[in-house]
Amino acid sequence: MSHPHEGDGTGHRVVVNDEGQHSLWPAHRAVPDGWRSVFGPAGRAEAVAYVERSWPDMRPAGLVAAMNGRAEGQRS
């Protein structure tokens, strides 16, 4: 039995969830609930390069918002 993320040669997608977190996903598999495809299918190197360009801040969106809210509250 092969690993479920081993592809059939069709490449990878980049998927993103509502928190803005990115993940590589095998192009031959259905995108899981709560995620949407934003890039691909493409080769692994291209998908990784997309993630590196598109996701410079790896913190979840909710954490960023909470930290920004806390910082704004401290300025008052």
Side-chain angles (χ1 to χ4, degrees), residues 17-70:
N17 65 18
D18 289 341
E19 285 288 326
Q21 296 168 307
H22 291 52
S23 182
L24 295 186
W25 195 254
H28 72 279
R29 297 190 49 95
V31 175
D33 290 344
W35 295 79
R36 65 189 181 286
S37 180
V38 295
F39 180 81
R44 180 177 173 81
E46 294 168 290
V48 168
Y50 177 88
V51 171
E52 289 173 347
R53 285 191 313 270
S54 302
W55 194 29
D57 184 347
M58 295 180 69
R59 296 176 298 167
L63 175 61
V64 172
M67 292 179 78
N68 287 343
R70 199 172 327 140

